[in-house]
Amino acid sequence: MTTAALEELAAHRCFGGWQRRYRHSSATLRCAMVFSVYLPPQAESGKVPALYWLSGLTCSDENFMHKAGAQRLAAELGVAIVAPDTSPRGAHVPGDPEGAWDFGHGAGFYLDAMQQPWAENYRMHDYVVRELPALIEAQLPIDSRRAISGHSMGGHGALVCALRNPGRYRAVSAFAPISHAIDSPWGQKAFARYLGDERCAWKEWDACELIASAGERLPLLVDQGEADGFLLAQLQPEKLRQACAAVGHPLRLRVHPAYDHSYYFIASFIDDHLRHHAAALLAR
């Protein structure tokens, strides 16, 4: 695959490093894509490792960078942060025919669609795991030491990306992930349309289902707010706890009273996640 050119859209000095935004043509998604990246000061003298952050429903590449407050500690640790968009976009990219917010544009679910018309563009798993890192590692001062995290739909994506690709990431974490997508109304809607009605195909994109046969036992750090309005119907962290316990997969699940699903919750605990990832990324 020919490496696509990066078009810089924005650059802001931030904690001694740079907050940048780029556009490129994606061969995987067959559209133009935008991503944001924070490059810490250490990237000015050599390549640094990267944490890939996957955002949730309705978000873009900018939500985490604007709201989480992660750049300060990332600068101190010497870790880049890469935030892709949450779906392919463009006038020719199909969205939700009903115009809802939980499917289509902004809701790619980090899977590779099998059903038309979405199969042509909705290949977010392949994009996040392969195309985007290859592009970044070829053109930016970022090396192949990778970690992955995310929130809600993006938490689901982070867990699935790590579980499906042993050896690809050094660490994984999630905030309020959709833990058992095949038993979640959000997941059921997306999976039925992107993957079809055959539920055996759904299991390949569900964190709880993948835990049992995972080829690598990376420790999972998961934070969940107890006051999250989506906790019981959509997120179901206890099912993740049960799946991990059944096979001895290491899990640190922290449930925080009074915290909700917002970026205030993420900002409150993002430093713990950055340190979790840096410990693995910077280990010799």
Side-chain angles (χ1 to χ4, degrees):
M1 180 185 297
T2 303
T3 303
L6 290 179
E7 175 192 357
E8 186 171 88
L9 302 177
H12 306 281
R13 199 67 164 163
C14 182
F15 293 105
W18 288 95
Q19 181 66 54
R20 299 183 183 274
R21 196 169 190 235
Y22 294 97
R23 180 189 291 120
H24 72 101
S25 177
S26 169
T28 300
L29 304 180
R30 301 187 181 185
C31 65
M33 288 295 288
V34 174
F35 69 90
S36 291
V37 58
Y38 177 67
L39 295 172
Q42 295 84 344
E44 295 186 6
S45 58
K47 290 199 170 188
V48 297
L51 169 62
Y52 288 79
W53 173 269
L54 308 184
S55 291
L57 289 165
T58 75
C59 291
S60 72
D61 61 292
E62 294 189 289
N63 294 72
F64 179 81
M65 297 302 191
H66 287 176
K67 298 178 180 180
Q71 292 91 339
R72 177 193 57 78
L73 185 56
E76 178 183 324
L77 296 170
V79 173
I81 303 173
V82 178
D85 202 347
T86 51
S87 78
R89 298 183 193 260
H92 71 288
V93 175
D96 189 332
E98 299 171 0
W101 56 270
D102 56 356
F103 181 81
H105 296 171
F109 272 82
Y110 305 103
L111 51 71
D112 292 340
M114 300 168 58
Q115 299 295 307
Q116 296 297 339
W118 298 284
E120 293 298 313
N121 304 102
Y122 285 80
R123 301 189 59 80
M124 286 298 295
H125 181 83
D126 194 21
Y127 174 74
V128 166
V129 172
R130 296 178 182 83
E131 184 182 19
L132 185 59
L135 176 69
I136 286 172
E137 290 162 18
Q139 301 193 43
L140 297 178
I142 290 175
D143 61 32
S144 61
R145 291 172 292 171
R146 310 177 197 95
I148 193 163
S149 186
H151 173 230
S152 194
M153 177 186 72
H156 144 80
L159 296 177
V160 169
C161 285
L163 290 167
R164 285 176 58 100
N165 297 278
R168 187 74 174 167
Y169 302 99
R170 295 193 179 191
V172 58
S173 74
F175 285 84
I178 303 172
S179 296
H180 195 25
I182 63 176
D183 195 33
S184 157
W186 285 338
Q188 290 169 350
K189 176 178 180 177
F191 285 13
R193 296 185 182 191
Y194 289 139
L195 302 173
D197 295 330
E198 184 51 66
R199 290 205 169 207
C200 66
W202 296 14
K203 293 182 178 182
E204 298 179 17
W205 303 99
D206 181 284
C208 285
E209 297 292 335
L210 291 168
I211 287 287
S213 59
E216 182 180 38
R217 296 297 180 196
L218 278 180
L220 309 181
L221 171 61
V222 176
D223 277 307
Q224 174 64 60
E226 199 171 56
D228 191 322
F230 304 115
L231 177 62
L232 299 179
Q234 304 284 7
L235 308 177
Q236 307 175 67
E238 286 304 316
K239 292 188 177 178
L240 181 64
R241 190 196 301 275
Q242 293 165 10
C244 288
V247 295
H249 194 112
L251 167 67
R252 187 182 181 195
L253 173 59
R254 309 189 304 182
V255 180
H256 305 276
Y259 282 90
D260 57 21
H261 200 68
S262 71
Y263 264 87
Y264 297 111
F265 164 55
I266 296 171
S268 298
F269 301 102
I270 190 61
D271 283 6
D272 292 348
H273 286 245
L274 288 170
R275 291 191 176 96
H276 167 79
H277 291 290
L281 289 169
L282 302 174
R284 299 210 178 261

